[in-house]
Amino acid sequence: METTSRCPPNDHLVIIGNGMASHRLIEALVKQPTRPQRITVIGAELTPAYNRILLSPLLAGEMQQDALTLRDAQWYAEQVVTLILGEKVVTLDRASQTVATDSGRSLDYDHLVIATGSRPALPDVPGIELDGVHGFRDLQDADALTDIAQQGGDAVVIGGGLLGLEAAEGLRKRGSDIKVSVLQRSERLMNRQLDATAAHLLKDTLTQRGLRIITGAQLARLESDAQGRVAKVHLADGRQLNASSVIIAAGITANAELGRQAGLHTDRAIVVDEWLTTSDPAISALGECCQFDGTTYGLVEPIWRQVEVLAATLCGTHSQGYADAPSATKLKVSGVALYAFGPTEASAEHEVLNYHDLERGDYRRLLLRNGQIEGAVLYGDTSQGPWYFEQALTGTDLNAYRQALLFGAADVDVLQAGMTDQQNAPSHLPTSEVA
């Protein structure tokens, strides 16, 4: 139990990073009566925090940039939060408890939160630094990809996960004269969330829309033209693809350099305890740049739980501390709904239940162990996903209702009600006659 404030009201709280995690923390803090009165947030981008999840529809031309903004600069001022934009923190001095930005600005802190997020993980192959190679993480990337789509040519997306597929579809939708290929190292798309059937359905859908999907593709090197710009992609099996641009969307790397340079305990990211505190008690880390119990983070659900814990810790209110918990993934890939949790592959101990409606394109697969749901993949109609996840969390024994499980909660309720009525029905045994 943590009830001692890490940042008393008169102390100066400095937050490095103005992404989604940082912004949610600020929104949580300003609601608390014991909030730090002096809060400064420093963002490297020129715009206030925005919803990065919506970069894909922005690229596709389905919404305007203003729709992504979480709060404008005036809101920060109204909350008595100092907002510094367009400056990157380059030095952290733990001894003097100061940070310095690339503009020469220096700030002292009583408590520091590092929420610097992540960047695309770059494959270690020759040519990765060529002109024409892009990531897809921020507004600047979205603008660059929009230009690529409108110019046309051959775009190659490295990575067949959610972000890569969204980037590919956005390029296809935005450009009228662009050919888009997706390279996936695994033998199936979204291999961490989908089983083979769902991945095959997704591949068919995207192929029909005009994307070229290449699975089992091992990137070997990128080749440049005479001007030093990417021109071709070479695969390990000898295949070559023309590429006027390459978009890297194959995982993320935590932006942990600031903590590493300052001597904080780091591994793949900045290591924190259950209160999101680093090896320095005056410094916390949050979101994609932190690592807890060997785990790093890229989904919003666990990061939102981290925010709740850190806000309580900073304000001295009750908290049980952060703990990893099972989470379900609800994804929207280019107009196709997906919902998944638990193991991707069935083990010998699992009972597998499948439902596949070819006409509607709906697919469901449940993994049961001893009558309890351990994993699910839903493609198309995902409405029952949250109910399946709830049953998994509570460990409900569903053996008696397994015949209705694939059709969801309503059918299970009907079956359960019928079984209850049968059990409660009065018996009609013959009575003995008395002579």
Side-chain angles (χ1 to χ4, degrees), residues 55-348:
L55 285 174
S56 298
L58 174 68
L59 170 60
E62 298 168 353
M63 61 173 51
Q64 299 299 311
Q65 181 174 322
D66 290 348
L68 276 67
T69 303
L70 297 172
R71 298 283 189 177
D72 59 21
Q74 182 179 348
W75 178 86
Y76 290 83
E78 292 170 350
Q79 306 304 319
V80 197
V81 174
T82 301
L83 177 63
I84 300 172
L85 297 176
E87 296 187 28
K88 181 180 180 181
V89 174
V90 293
T91 304
L92 163 57
D93 188 330
R94 293 165 53 198
S96 63
Q97 295 197 177
T98 60
V99 296
T101 72
D102 53 3
S103 73
R105 187 194 304 265
S106 179
L107 296 91
D108 60 70
Y109 66 85
D110 294 293
H111 196 90
L112 182 71
V113 175
I114 302 176
T116 46
S118 65
R119 61 186 182 277
L122 298 180
D124 185 15
V125 297
I128 199 66
E129 302 297 335
L130 290 173
D131 287 342
V133 178
H134 303 268
F136 187 40
R137 297 290 293 172
D138 56 30
L139 288 171
Q140 198 170 13
D141 293 333
D143 287 342
L145 267 60
T146 298
D147 291 341
I148 288 170
Q150 293 173 344
Q151 291 169 9
D154 296 291
V156 177
V157 178
I158 311 297
L162 173 64
L163 188 63
L165 296 179
E166 287 289 12
E169 260 296 87
L171 288 166
R172 184 193 67 81
K173 289 181 179 179
R174 196 60 175 259
S176 58
D177 190 27
I178 188 168
K179 298 177 182 178
V180 184
S181 301
V182 177
L183 305 185
Q184 168 70 331
R185 183 174 182 174
S186 170
E187 292 298 331
R188 63 174 186 258
L189 298 175
M190 297 185 65
N191 56 295
R192 293 185 178 182
Q193 291 89 16
L194 304 182
D195 65 2
T197 301
H200 181 74
L201 290 170
L202 180 59
K203 181 179 180 180
D204 280 352
T205 298
L206 298 179
T207 299
Q208 289 169 12
R209 293 179 183 180
L211 295 181
R212 181 185 182 190
I213 308 293
I214 305 174
T215 56
Q218 177 69 45
L219 183 64
R221 64 185 179 92
L222 305 180
E223 179 184 334
S224 68
D225 59 15
Q227 288 73 44
R229 183 179 178 84
V230 68
K232 282 188 178 181
V233 171
H234 291 257
L235 302 183
D237 60 9
R239 285 180 290 177
Q240 301 178 20
L241 289 81
N242 291 330
S244 54
S245 59
V246 172
I247 295 86
I248 305 296
I252 58 176
T253 297
N255 291 326
E257 288 74 17
L258 193 63
R260 191 170 289 119
Q261 292 166 6
L264 296 176
H265 181 200
T266 60
D267 184 18
R268 288 177 295 147
I270 302 172
V271 177
V272 298
D273 64 13
E274 64 266 40
W275 314 113
L276 285 304
T277 305
T278 69
S279 54
D280 184 332
I283 302 177
S284 303
L286 172 70
E288 293 177 337
C289 70
C290 83
Q291 178 177 325
F292 172 73
D293 198 23
T295 301
T296 55
Y297 303 91
L299 299 176
V300 296
E301 185 177 339
I303 294 175
W304 287 177
R305 296 199 304 270
Q306 291 178 2
V307 166
E308 294 176 5
V309 172
L310 183 54
T313 300
L314 294 175
C315 295
T317 57
H318 173 71
S319 170
Q320 295 292 338
Y322 177 78
D324 282 328
S327 60
T329 305
K330 187 173 185 179
L331 308 169
K332 192 82 170 181
V333 180
S334 310
V336 179
L338 304 165
Y339 190 99
F341 64 86
T344 304
E345 302 293 342
S347 70

